[in-house]
Every structure is written in structure tokens, then in C-alpha cells.
Amino acid sequence: MLNYSDISRGKRWVGWVLALSLLLGGCSWFGKNNKEEPDEYADWTAEKFYTEAKQNLLEKRYDKAVKLYEKLEARYPFGKYATQAQLDVAYAYYKNDEPDSAIAATDRFIKLNPTHPNVDYAYYLKGLVNYNRGIGFIDRFLPTDSSQRDPGSALDAYKEFEELLRRFPNSRYAEDAGQRVISLRNNLAMYEIHVADFYMRREAYLAAARRCAEVIRKYQRTQAVPLALRTLEEAYRKLGQNDLADDAARVYSLNYAQGVPGQAKDLAEPSAVERLWQFVGLEE
């Protein structure tokens, strides 16, 4: 006859058996569901990775191109295809509107391949990324004044194109870089004029004068210089510094007696955006 303790031990034993069965079944289930998916790139050669990545790049499937370039370099880190992939992935990032990743990729290529025949392109691409950084949808389809945008990226692009011209004056990218440097110098100078005009409208005449003096010192032979001289004269007169104002007027007369070539738009006239802001009260 079974007593109570025997029944209790029997129940515990059955419980342990059931728990063990569940555990083993669970392991079996997890094992079936955790099998690694087959690697679709298992048999790909470096050449195939590069060819497919290049095709995706040409067809503007930039995400896919980036993925394939990165897999190529991870699996075949040595050789011509891996080296070229380091440069091509930077371009893919740039076209995919990932400027930070593009800059990081160009910097890496330059560091790893300082004597590569195409390293000049890395410098050029780095400048191009910053040259186009911050240009949004509206800027691409509507005429806007690029000199009124934050100059941070423009200044970076200016320095990078100058570095390209200094290191590789005979590069096939030198002519385009040189034209962009001229455009960037004008934009950076005009940005300072916009800031000076902002200070003038708020009667911060000393700050305006300092901005204009900086334009005359740093950005000679740009369209901003005559505007800087005119604003400088006005700022000095507002400050009661008539001798300095006369000097600014004299310099203007000596250099622009026949008028200003390619006269820039008078900044006293508000832009379309400024007129809109004034209409809705954002300038108040």
C-alpha cells in the first residue's frame, strides 16, 4: 500500500521528467529555427562583387551598391577591387545623400592610399560633398541666394578644393575645382556682406564695420568689396568717424570711378524671402 510520501516522490519524479522533455523539445525547436540563412554571396568572387556593385551604382540603387562594396572589402580586403571599392563607396554615399559617410570614406581612402593614382579624385569628391551639402529640395528647383546659407560647409569645400589645387595642380579635376573656388570665395564674401547689412539694420554699426573690413582684407577682387566699402563708409558716419568714412569713400572712388563690374544687387532691397518674413511678421 502506497503511503503519502511515496505518492509525493512520484509526483516530483513525473514533474522532473516533464520539465526535461519540454527542455529537450525546446532546444530542438530553437535549433530548427535558428539555422543560418544560406549566404547568397558565398560563391562570389571579388570581380563579381565589384561588377554588381558598379552596375547598381550606375542604375542609382545606391543602398545596394554600398552594401556590395562593403561586402567586397570585408571578404577580399586586398587587391585592386578592394582599393577601388573604397573610393567608389564614397561616391555611392555622396549620391545617396549621406555626406558624413562620404567624407569618412574619402578620408579613409586618402589615409590608406596616399600615393594612389586616383587620390586626387578623393580630394575632389571630398570638396564636392561639402559644396553640395545643405542644398535641399527647394534650392534644387527654385532660384535661391546661396550666399545667405550657413557658410560652414562652403568654407570646408573651399579649403578642400584649395588643397586639391595645391597638391595636384595638373589634376584633371583642377579646372573645375578652380572655378568652384572662385564661386565659393564670392559666396563667402557676400555672406559677410549680408551679415553686415543685418547689423546695419539693427544699428550695430561697429559690428557691421568690422565685417566689412574683414571682407576687404580677405576677399579682394570679389563683387563684395565695393559693397563692403559703401557699407563701411555708412557705418563710420553713423559712428561719427568721419575721417574713416572719408577714407572708405576715397578708396571706393579710386577703384570704381567707372562703375562696378557686374554690380551686385543692392542689399538695401530685401530679398523675396525677407519680404515674406516681413509680411507674416517674422522680423518683428
Side-chain angles (χ1 to χ4, degrees):
M1 182 174 179
L2 294 172
N3 58 33
Y4 178 78
S5 62
D6 292 331
I7 294 172
S8 179
R9 284 197 297 271
K11 288 182 177 179
R12 286 199 298 270
W13 174 251
V14 171
W16 280 108
V17 170
L18 288 173
L20 183 59
S21 298
L22 289 172
L23 178 62
L24 292 174
C27 289
S28 175
W29 184 85
F30 279 116
K32 290 178 181 178
N33 287 274
N34 276 350
K35 287 181 179 178
E36 292 185 3
E37 294 183 4
D39 184 358
E40 63 178 300
Y41 308 111
D43 299 325
W44 284 31
T45 63
E47 183 178 5
K48 182 171 177 59
F49 269 115
Y50 185 78
T51 301
E52 291 294 324
K54 193 73 172 178
Q55 187 62 35
N56 277 277
L57 187 63
L58 292 173
E59 293 174 2
K60 300 182 180 180
R61 294 195 291 265
Y62 302 120
D63 283 331
K64 182 70 171 179
V66 166
K67 179 181 177 181
L68 291 174
Y69 281 130
E70 290 178 343
K71 282 188 175 292
L72 164 58
E73 192 179 356
R75 298 193 181 196
Y76 301 96
F78 307 106
K80 63 177 183 179
Y81 291 113
T83 302
Q84 188 61 40
Q86 293 170 8
L87 193 56
D88 287 357
V89 77
Y91 180 75
Y93 277 129
Y94 163 58
K95 296 299 289 183
N96 205 37
D97 198 23
E98 298 181 68
D100 291 332
S101 295
I103 293 292
T106 55
D107 283 340
R108 181 168 176 264
F109 181 87
I110 291 168
K111 182 178 180 179
L112 295 176
N113 310 279
T115 60
H116 192 278
N118 295 330
V119 72
D120 60 332
Y121 175 71
Y123 282 97
Y124 174 72
L125 181 58
K126 190 176 176 182
L128 203 60
V129 171
N130 277 317
Y131 187 86
N132 289 291
R133 190 195 289 259
I135 298 179
F137 178 84
I138 293 176
D139 299 295
R140 295 180 191 278
F141 295 98
L142 294 176
T144 58
D145 185 353
S146 58
S147 69
Q148 296 193 42
R149 291 200 294 264
D150 184 342
S153 296
L155 188 57
D156 288 339
Y158 179 80
K159 292 176 181 177
E160 285 147 10
F161 285 133
E162 288 239 298
E163 181 76 357
L164 168 65
L165 294 171
R166 184 181 70 81
R167 288 176 176 267
F168 308 99
N170 299 317
S171 167
R172 61 176 173 167
Y173 306 107
E175 182 178 355
D176 183 75
Q179 293 298 317
R180 292 179 189 275
V181 163
I182 293 171
S183 172
L184 286 164
R185 284 189 81 246
N186 279 313
N187 277 354
L188 290 168
M190 286 303 299
Y191 175 82
E192 296 298 324
I193 294 297
H194 286 299
V195 174
D197 181 64
F198 172 86
Y199 285 138
M200 289 295 293
R201 284 184 280 139
R202 283 152 183 78
E203 300 181 2
Y205 303 122
L206 182 58
R210 286 173 175 168
R211 288 282 182 164
C212 291
E214 190 74 356
V215 169
I216 295 166
R217 185 180 69 84
K218 289 178 61 177
Y219 299 107
Q220 296 180 23
R221 298 187 299 279
T222 67
Q223 63 179 359
V225 169
L227 290 171
L229 286 167
R230 286 172 55 191
T231 305
L232 188 63
E233 178 190 358
E234 183 183 355
Y236 280 144
R237 296 211 185 279
K238 294 289 187 181
L239 291 168
Q241 301 288 330
N242 289 322
D243 289 344
L244 294 175
D246 291 342
D247 288 341
R250 191 178 306 110
V251 172
Y252 183 92
S253 297
L254 287 172
N255 287 276
Y256 306 105
Q258 305 303 319
V260 179
Q263 177 68 61
K265 183 180 179 181
D266 192 341
L267 292 178
E269 179 184 346
S271 67
V273 173
E274 289 174 321
R275 288 196 296 271
L276 175 62
W277 286 4
Q278 292 167 3
F279 176 75
V280 297
L282 294 179
E283 278 284 335
E284 298 301 325

